[in-house]
Amino acid sequence: MKKIINNPDRALQEMVEGIAAAYPNEVKQLPETTVIVRKDAPVSNKVGIVSGGGSGHEPAHAGYIGKGMLDAAVSGEVFTSPTPDQVLEAIKAVDSGKGVFLVIKNYTGDVINFDMAAELAEAEGIEVEKVVVNDDVAVEDSSFTTGRRGIAGTVFVHKIAGAIAEQGGSLQEVKAVAEKVVENVRSMGMALTSCIVPAAGKPSFQLEDNEMEIGIGIHGEPGIERKEMATAHEIAKELTEKVLNDRDFSESDVAVMVNGLGATPEMELYIVNKSVQEILKEKGIKVYKTFVGEYMTSLEMAGCSVSLLKLDDEIKSLLNAESSAPAFRI
Amino acid sequence: MKKIINNPDRALQEMVEGIAAAYPNEVKQLPETTVIVRKDAPVSNKVGIVSGGGSGHEPAHAGYIGKGMLDAAVSGEVFTSPTPDQVLEAIKAVDSGKGVFLVIKNYTGDVINFDMAAELAEAEGIEVEKVVVNDDVAVEDSSFTTGRRGIAGTVFVHKIAGAIAEQGGSLQEVKAVAEKVVENVRSMGMALTSCIVPAAGKPSFQLEDNEMEIGIGIHGEPGIERKEMATAHEIAKELTEKVLNDRDFSESDVAVMVNGLGATPEMELYIVNKSVQEILKEKGIKVYKTFVGEYMTSLEMAGCSVSLLKLDDEIKSLLNAESSAPAFRI
Amino acid sequence: MGLQVTEAVEWMKRINEKIHINKEYLTSLDQPIGDGDHGINMARGFQEVSNKITMENYENVAELLKDVAMTLMSKVGGASGPLFGTAFLKMSLVAKGSDTINHDNITRMLEEAVNGVKQRGKAVEGEKTLIDVWSPMVEYFKRVDRFKAGEIAGEAKKAMENTKDIMATKGRAAYFKEKSIGHIDPGAATSFYMFEALSEVIKAGEK
Amino acid sequence: MGLQVTEAVEWMKRINEKIHINKEYLTSLDQPIGDGDHGINMARGFQEVSNKITMENYENVAELLKDVAMTLMSKVGGASGPLFGTAFLKMSLVAKGSDTINHDNITRMLEEAVNGVKQRGKAVEGEKTLIDVWSPMVEYFKRVDRFKAGEIAGEAKKAMENTKDIMATKGRAAYFKEKSIGHIDPGAATSFYMFEALSEVIKAGEK
Ligand SMILES: Nc1ncnc2c1ncn2[C@@H]1O[C@H](COP(=O)(O)OP(=O)(O)O)[C@@H](O)[C@H]1O
Ligand SMILES: Nc1ncnc2c1ncn2[C@@H]1O[C@H](COP(=O)(O)OP(=O)(O)O)[C@@H](O)[C@H]1O
Ligand SMILES: [Mg+2]
Ligand SMILES: [Mg+2]
Ligand SMILES: [Mg+2]
Ligand SMILES: [Mg+2]
């Protein structure tokens, strides 16, 4: 394992300090936590938006802190949900009295830890609401199982929940629009390589030179299907069609996200984007806005995901609203 | 070699089309070229800013096109300077009559091809000026040799030349401030892995598991020195001190860029940033603004570079000026 | 016999030891059907437990178990942190007022632990989780009328191994559906070490 | 004897062939002291040259050489594209008005080519570049009084091999300073193939 770190056990803490040191005018680290909040938190008369999860997904989640997006991001150990006490600190730091909204990705750990934090916060008199993002169509949607994972589509939820909160929306209004985004966003990912959890020191799985994993998550877990390596166009087609088969996007305006998982050259993301746009055009789906880059990563995994968000006028206007988050400036 | 491409011979063209397809309201591709220009080019009464070079450095250079930054980016084959005819097309497309300014990284190929384009443009009556960026302190500065390479510091030149042009600066004013930035910016990089030029199909060099290359460029070339792998702090120290030894930054306000080369998890960049900030603080150097992320990459190379830009009031205000470039929004 | 504070502390330290020895193994169980952090998570958590309880003087086992629970909840994260945390918290609640952990109260402690985990994890038996060790252990303790050190580890091991044949429907392993079959559940393996440690402490007490 | 259009076309096609056969070798020369694209660049360029000249009918060698130059300049990029482009452009200018490339004009053609490259590349002899093949070849052609097919390739090869001992001061290899010693310059190797192809075409014409 070659990584630019000092010690796997201190990587999380040092990263958080490095983020705080990078943007001292915009954010601050809550003392003795791995929580980063807006410098001006709590913003008075605004619903606080909190997200987070394991680390290793950077720029998620701290990169999305800013005016018009998140108020706080809680980082756990690499790929490990943060603990309830950390989430609680975040909630307390961003509550202005108007309540706090949690954006949670649908993983057992994230759901449990954030839920526990919400209970603790409510016990302290803070109103808390949440949404659980489950955009990954690689996994079957089922109420009998863990259900779908939350992946890159989560960034759209951050953006739009953050925008309505910034505009003064109530906790219930934030929740309503966040739920609408969750209903309307779908994603699918693939990987060429695994990644290395620093504390594990070796790749989470092995792929041969002619293999790829389809239906990958963002925690270095293997995908749903191992296949022979294909062309960019075939990959774009497979991901996009899986997304389109899952939800009716026809005749819609959509936002597209082609997300790199960490080690994919941007060149390749743009080649994928070319095919995605062609495929959508063929199907009569109108692309309103496109995002290409690294938004929700998996350490140094090579691969990408494609997300589609179906838009209506409300979501469009919230998507276009100003955001000062370093990793999602609009 | 595993890459998400269709064919190495078409990768450049398809990437350029993918960029154009991603931002149809902001940019356009000049037909039958690999040139991307601002949608509204030429912007009347504004000096046009053109940059470019080989591809494989994304988001450089097309990601820096936008109001307040570049007017055009010319992409060559991977790591290969674009040809004069392509650069000429870019110059012609962005000239509003106020002249065109070229930001060139100091590589023989880039310098020659851009110079030839400038000569051709001047023959067509377009006024052209240029700056050659050579921020890489890994290479000795010498007028008897090729001299220093241009690396990540180039992004600061784009930003600041773009800002003054947007404010209506004349060609000479743009040139003067761009030269000031070049005089005041220094960078140094290192790598943990090589990268794979698609058409070559194999890594440009090999590094063992306990080795790193110090003084790396951005074209997959080996570094100046091969060393035993070190900690993030040691790496940050070596890069920062090399930069500080080259130019007097003491008592200055600086902008910092911790740049990922393509496959480095952002987590690691922030860990490096933590050390860089500590080192600068110790030396009494005041950090005015920090940029952490992938700004000037080398395909899927793992590694990073550290750049420092010494600031005065003029450069500060230009650095802070609005930019709508997707990869450098301010 | 029963476990007094000293033995209960010893139990926790043995869990910590076992988890450290098997940290890589536990992580490797979490790689094919999870995200490869289970051993790392549990080792971090039980190291903190061990540090914490070494520094404290407990008057009763309930207090000790509560500290274990809180430490796991605030140091592990992931799914396993709050779930094992809940298990120990529930055990602590049942143990309140008792001086020891003994055969009389262990069944109720484990039963409450399982219920707590089920509620937190929205899971039941047969979903390939740590419940599939804890729940059979409740049944086992119900069946026997006293601590039988020689049996406990074996029962837990059997339960752990049975998770191999289950198709996961909860936790990360659920994403792999049929492909999750054939792998031992990492949380079940950690649970086995917990019961193995328990049996060793009981055995030591019998001497 | 001299090269008429047909032979000059044959010369270019042979260069193309040699570069394609040695594409990986040329690229591998560019890896330790460059960016590993030289073979790729030259193969792309000469493939385009070959396509272009196959489609055209040239009246004289100057026109042919001009197309070669323009194609290299607009299809290769990097340092080598404009530099070899300049070399062929200068040769074309000298060849203007001549029906053939022969021993009388080749010296002047190469001399002008070298001057053009030197000016464009701001380089001189001894900096470990393609100049270190072209310039010795000028000297060679000055020394002899007629085309000697048997010697040309050997002379070029010697010059190419001599670049091994030079420390680079221009081009990417200059970044490696002392470490550039011991490697053949990629552009010099390509230049050798150009002269080797020339000698073969001359030899074929002698028969
Ligand atoms: N819903 C659930 N109910 C009970 N136990 C669960 C549930 N989800 C996961 N687990 C347990 O947690 C273990 C995984 O723990 P760990 O790897 O530390 O956390 P994570 O899955 O968040 O990475 C699984 O092996 C399983 O035993
Ligand atoms: N300044 C220069 N003058 C003459 N030749 C040069 C100069 N710089 C580079 N070259 C030649 O160009 C060759 C490299 O070509 P190539 O690899 O295709 O371009 P790049 O260096 O841009 O990647 C070198 O081997 C050398 O022969
Ligand atoms: Mg985990
Ligand atoms: Mg090159
Ligand atoms: Mg896990
Ligand atoms: Mg080269």
Side-chain angles (χ1 to χ4, degrees):
Chain A
M1 172 185 67
K2 265 200 284 190
K3 287 188 181 282
I4 310 180
I5 57 176
N6 295 301
N7 178 334
D9 297 339
R10 290 206 313 271
L12 167 61
Q13 194 60 42
E14 291 180 353
M15 172 188 75
V16 172
E17 286 171 32
I19 293 172
Y23 315 115
N25 301 319
E26 290 84 11
V27 304
K28 63 188 178 206
Q29 178 182 2
L30 297 183
E32 283 166 61
T33 71
T34 55
V35 179
I36 301 268
V37 302
R38 259 173 82 162
K39 186 74 174 281
D40 55 352
V43 181
S44 66
N45 205 28
K46 193 186 92 68
V47 171
I49 313 281
V50 174
S51 189
S55 53
H57 306 304
E58 292 68 30
H61 301 83
Y64 300 127
I65 297 176
K67 192 157 179 284
M69 218 157 160
L70 302 183
D71 292 274
V74 195
S75 295
E77 293 289 335
V78 172
F79 299 160
T80 302
S81 333
T83 54
D85 52 312
Q86 300 279 315
V87 181
L88 177 63
E89 292 303 319
I91 293 173
K92 292 203 292 197
V94 306
D95 178 47
S96 71
K98 215 177 168 179
V100 174
F101 188 70
L102 308 181
V103 180
I104 308 170
K105 292 190 294 314
N106 189 32
Y107 299 97
T108 309
D110 285 15
V111 171
I112 295 178
N113 287 289
F114 276 75
D115 273 0
M116 288 172 78
E119 289 165 19
L120 295 167
E122 279 162 350
E124 298 193 23
I126 302 174
E127 224 187 324
V128 179
E129 282 289 358
K130 60 167 188 183
V131 73
V132 178
V133 188
N134 61 349
D135 54 321
D136 185 0
V137 302
V139 177
E140 220 172 314
D141 199 10
S142 155
S143 50
F144 297 108
T145 71
T146 301
R148 282 177 163 165
R149 299 178 284 214
I151 57 174
T154 310
V155 179
F156 285 129
V157 184
H158 294 159
K159 174 65 185 75
I160 285 157
I164 192 159
E166 198 70 50
Q167 291 172 9
S170 70
L171 190 54
Q172 288 311 318
E173 285 166 339
V174 172
K175 185 180 161 78
V177 76
E179 282 176 348
K180 188 161 77 174
V181 175
V182 171
E183 271 161 37
N184 284 289
V185 67
R186 296 291 186 280
S187 304
M188 175 91 181
M190 60 79 61
L192 303 185
T193 65
S194 179
C195 56
I196 301 177
V197 175
K202 61 185 177 107
S204 303
F205 60 88
Q206 290 289 351
L207 273 173
E208 297 302 318
D209 233 25
N210 60 341
E211 290 176 339
M212 60 177 180
E213 289 270 340
I214 296 283
I216 203 83
I218 51 170
H219 298 85
E221 64 272 59
I224 300 309
E225 200 184 343
R226 186 162 293 198
K227 283 196 168 182
E228 207 175 314
M229 190 55 203
T231 64
H233 187 75
E234 286 159 355
I235 290 167
K237 202 165 164 213
E238 173 145 15
L239 300 184
T240 311
E241 288 187 346
K242 258 276 178 123
V243 164
L244 293 176
N245 286 342
D246 190 82
R247 197 206 180 294
D248 187 6
F249 285 93
S250 56
E251 313 287 308
S252 317
D253 284 10
V254 298
V256 175
M257 179 176 283
V258 178
N259 171 58
L261 290 177
T264 313
E266 231 176 77
M267 167 176 262
E268 299 176 25
L269 299 181
Y270 280 108
I271 292 175
V272 169
N273 180 54
K274 175 182 184 285
S275 291
V276 170
Q277 303 282 340
E278 284 166 5
I279 293 161
L280 295 177
K281 198 167 193 179
E282 265 168 35
K283 312 238 175 204
I285 298 168
K286 223 183 121 229
V287 177
Y288 176 73
K289 214 176 169 79
T290 302
F291 300 86
V292 179
E294 295 191 341
Y295 292 96
M296 182 68 76
T297 63
S298 198
L299 292 174
E300 69 280 78
M301 182 174 266
C304 67
S305 64
V306 172
S307 303
L308 291 190
L309 167 64
K310 184 172 167 151
L311 303 168
D312 61 14
D313 288 344
E314 183 188 27
I315 299 188
K316 271 186 203 175
S317 112
L318 293 168
L319 186 59
N320 280 332
E322 193 200 326
S323 157
S324 73
F328 210 93
R329 225 160 243 156
I330 287 205
Chain B
M1 172 185 67
K2 264 201 284 191
K3 287 188 180 279
I4 311 180
I5 57 174
N6 294 303
N7 179 334
D9 297 339
R10 289 205 313 271
L12 166 62
Q13 193 60 43
E14 290 180 354
M15 173 189 75
V16 171
E17 287 172 33
I19 294 172
Y23 315 115
N25 301 319
E26 291 84 11
V27 305
K28 64 189 178 206
Q29 177 182 3
L30 297 183
E32 284 165 61
T33 72
T34 56
V35 179
I36 301 269
V37 302
R38 259 173 83 162
K39 185 72 175 281
D40 54 354
V43 182
S44 65
N45 205 28
K46 192 185 95 65
V47 170
I49 313 281
V50 174
S51 188
S55 53
H57 307 303
E58 293 68 29
H61 300 83
Y64 301 127
I65 298 176
K67 196 160 176 283
M69 216 158 161
L70 301 184
D71 292 273
V74 194
S75 296
E77 293 291 334
V78 172
F79 299 160
T80 301
S81 335
T83 53
D85 52 313
Q86 301 278 316
V87 181
L88 177 62
E89 291 301 319
I91 295 173
K92 292 202 292 194
V94 306
D95 177 48
S96 72
K98 214 177 167 178
V100 174
F101 189 70
L102 308 181
V103 181
I104 308 171
K105 293 191 293 312
N106 190 32
Y107 299 96
T108 310
D110 285 15
V111 171
I112 295 179
N113 287 288
F114 276 75
D115 273 0
M116 288 172 77
E119 289 165 19
L120 295 168
E122 280 163 350
E124 297 194 24
I126 302 174
E127 223 186 325
V128 180
E129 282 289 358
K130 61 168 186 183
V131 73
V132 178
V133 188
N134 60 349
D135 54 321
D136 185 359
V137 303
V139 177
E140 219 172 313
D141 199 9
S142 155
S143 51
F144 296 108
T145 70
T146 301
R148 283 178 163 165
R149 300 177 285 212
I151 58 174
T154 309
V155 179
F156 285 129
V157 184
H158 293 159
K159 174 65 184 75
I160 284 156
I164 192 159
E166 198 69 50
Q167 291 174 8
S170 70
L171 189 53
Q172 289 310 321
E173 285 166 339
V174 172
K175 184 180 161 79
V177 76
E179 281 175 349
K180 187 160 74 175
V181 176
V182 171
E183 270 160 37
N184 284 289
V185 67
R186 296 290 185 279
S187 304
M188 174 91 181
M190 60 78 61
L192 303 184
T193 66
S194 179
C195 57
I196 301 176
V197 175
K202 62 183 177 109
S204 302
F205 60 88
Q206 290 290 350
L207 274 172
E208 297 303 317
D209 235 24
N210 60 341
E211 291 176 338
M212 61 178 180
E213 289 269 340
I214 296 282
I216 204 84
I218 52 170
H219 297 86
E221 64 272 59
I224 300 308
E225 200 184 345
R226 185 163 294 198
K227 284 198 168 182
E228 207 174 316
M229 190 57 203
T231 64
H233 187 74
E234 287 159 353
I235 290 168
K237 201 162 167 225
E238 172 145 14
L239 300 184
T240 310
E241 288 187 347
K242 254 292 182 107
V243 165
L244 292 177
N245 287 342
D246 190 81
R247 200 208 177 293
D248 188 7
F249 285 94
S250 58
E251 314 286 308
S252 317
D253 283 12
V254 298
V256 176
M257 179 175 283
V258 179
N259 171 57
L261 290 178
T264 313
E266 231 176 78
M267 165 175 264
E268 299 175 24
L269 299 181
Y270 279 108
I271 293 174
V272 169
N273 180 55
K274 175 182 183 287
S275 292
V276 171
Q277 304 282 341
E278 284 166 5
I279 294 161
L280 295 177
K281 199 168 191 174
E282 268 169 35
K283 312 238 174 202
I285 298 169
K286 224 183 121 230
V287 177
Y288 177 74
K289 212 176 171 80
T290 302
F291 299 87
V292 179
E294 294 190 342
Y295 291 95
M296 182 68 75
T297 63
S298 198
L299 292 173
E300 67 280 80
M301 181 174 266
C304 67
S305 64
V306 172
S307 304
L308 291 191
L309 168 64
K310 183 170 168 152
L311 302 169
D312 61 15
D313 288 344
E314 182 187 29
I315 298 188
K316 273 186 201 172
S317 113
L318 293 169
L319 186 58
N320 280 331
E322 194 200 325
S323 158
S324 74
F328 209 93
R329 226 160 242 159
I330 288 204
Chain C
M1 68 133 320
L3 274 58
Q4 267 147 347
V5 168
T6 328
E7 286 94 45
V9 166
E10 177 61 20
W11 178 23
M12 293 306 128
K13 297 212 158 172
R14 281 194 187 233
I15 296 177
N16 183 37
E17 248 171 50
K18 286 181 190 295
I19 284 175
H20 271 86
I21 291 168
N22 295 288
K23 180 176 161 183
E24 290 202 11
Y25 168 66
L26 288 171
T27 294
S28 76
L29 290 179
D30 197 31
Q31 282 180 333
I33 57 169
D35 58 349
D37 61 358
H38 185 67
I40 303 163
N41 290 344
M42 295 313 304
R44 182 176 60 245
F46 269 91
Q47 187 56 54
E48 297 278 354
V49 164
S50 171
N51 297 349
K52 173 83 186 166
I53 63 180
T54 309
M55 279 165 26
E56 305 281 332
N57 261 319
Y58 296 99
E59 304 226 321
N60 53 54
V61 288
E63 257 178 48
L64 165 72
L65 292 174
K66 189 175 168 217
D67 262 11
V68 172
M70 296 318 287
T71 305
L72 293 178
M73 282 199 202
S74 67
K75 299 295 179 189
V76 178
S80 51
L83 292 173
F84 282 116
T86 298
F88 283 95
L89 191 64
K90 296 293 179 176
M91 292 201 284
S92 155
L93 291 176
V94 175
K96 225 172 219 172
S98 315
D99 286 342
T100 61
I101 303 172
N102 51 43
H103 184 263
D104 287 345
N105 61 13
I106 189 104
T107 314
R108 262 185 313 125
M109 284 170 67
L110 294 177
E111 201 157 24
E112 279 310 296
V114 171
N115 286 339
V117 171
K118 281 179 171 177
Q119 219 176 355
R120 263 293 158 221
K122 301 199 174 68
V124 294
E125 289 83 5
E127 302 207 86
K128 198 182 187 99
T129 71
L130 57 94
I131 295 170
D132 294 314
V133 168
W134 288 67
S135 194
M137 292 310 287
V138 173
E139 297 310 314
Y140 161 75
F141 280 110
K142 279 186 181 165
R143 271 200 316 272
V144 297
D145 57 358
R146 58 177 178 86
F147 271 165
K148 296 181 178 165
E151 286 181 8
I152 297 171
E155 286 290 326
K157 190 165 193 189
K158 206 167 62 193
M160 168 189 81
E161 277 169 355
N162 283 342
T163 64
K164 219 172 167 167
D165 304 330
I166 304 175
M167 182 172 90
T169 46
K170 286 289 149 63
R172 287 174 192 284
Y175 307 141
F176 300 97
K177 295 201 285 191
E178 299 76 19
K179 284 197 229 157
S180 66
I181 297 172
H183 300 274
I184 289 174
D185 173 62
T190 289
S191 303
F192 156 66
Y193 294 124
M194 291 173 172
F195 286 103
E196 192 185 43
L198 176 65
S199 78
E200 287 170 11
V201 176
I202 294 172
K203 185 173 272 161
E206 281 169 353
K207 277 169 199 162
Chain D
M1 71 133 316
L3 274 59
Q4 266 146 347
V5 169
T6 327
E7 286 93 46
V9 166
E10 177 60 20
W11 180 22
M12 294 304 127
K13 298 212 158 172
R14 280 195 188 232
I15 296 176
N16 184 38
E17 246 171 50
K18 286 179 191 295
I19 286 175
H20 272 85
I21 291 168
N22 296 289
K23 180 176 160 181
E24 290 202 10
Y25 167 67
L26 288 171
T27 294
S28 76
L29 290 179
D30 197 31
Q31 283 180 332
I33 56 169
D35 59 348
D37 61 357
H38 185 67
I40 301 163
N41 290 345
M42 296 313 303
R44 182 177 60 246
F46 269 91
Q47 187 56 55
E48 295 278 355
V49 164
S50 169
N51 297 350
K52 172 81 186 168
I53 62 180
T54 309
M55 278 166 26
E56 303 283 332
N57 260 318
Y58 295 99
E59 303 225 324
N60 53 55
V61 287
E63 259 178 46
L64 165 73
L65 292 173
K66 189 176 170 212
D67 263 12
V68 171
M70 297 316 290
T71 304
L72 292 177
M73 284 199 199
S74 67
K75 298 297 178 187
V76 178
S80 50
L83 291 174
F84 282 116
T86 298
F88 282 96
L89 191 64
K90 296 293 180 181
M91 292 202 281
S92 155
L93 291 176
V94 176
K96 227 173 219 168
S98 313
D99 285 341
T100 61
I101 302 174
N102 50 44
H103 183 262
D104 287 346
N105 61 12
I106 190 107
T107 314
R108 261 186 314 127
M109 285 169 67
L110 294 178
E111 201 156 23
E112 279 309 297
V114 172
N115 287 338
V117 170
K118 283 180 171 178
Q119 215 175 1
R120 263 293 158 221
K122 300 197 173 69
V124 296
E125 287 82 7
E127 302 207 83
K128 198 182 187 97
T129 70
L130 57 94
I131 294 170
D132 294 314
V133 168
W134 287 67
S135 194
M137 291 310 286
V138 172
E139 298 310 314
Y140 163 74
F141 278 111
K142 278 188 182 166
R143 272 201 314 273
V144 296
D145 58 357
R146 58 179 177 86
F147 272 165
K148 293 180 182 170
E151 288 180 9
I152 298 172
E155 287 290 327
K157 190 166 191 187
K158 207 167 60 193
M160 168 189 81
E161 278 168 355
N162 284 342
T163 64
K164 220 172 166 168
D165 304 330
I166 304 176
M167 182 171 90
T169 46
K170 289 289 149 66
R172 289 175 190 284
Y175 308 140
F176 300 98
K177 294 200 286 188
E178 297 77 20
K179 284 198 229 157
S180 66
I181 297 172
H183 299 274
I184 290 174
D185 174 63
T190 291
S191 303
F192 157 64
Y193 293 125
M194 290 174 173
F195 286 102
E196 191 186 43
L198 177 65
S199 78
E200 286 170 12
V201 176
I202 294 173
K203 185 173 272 161
E206 282 170 351
K207 276 169 198 161

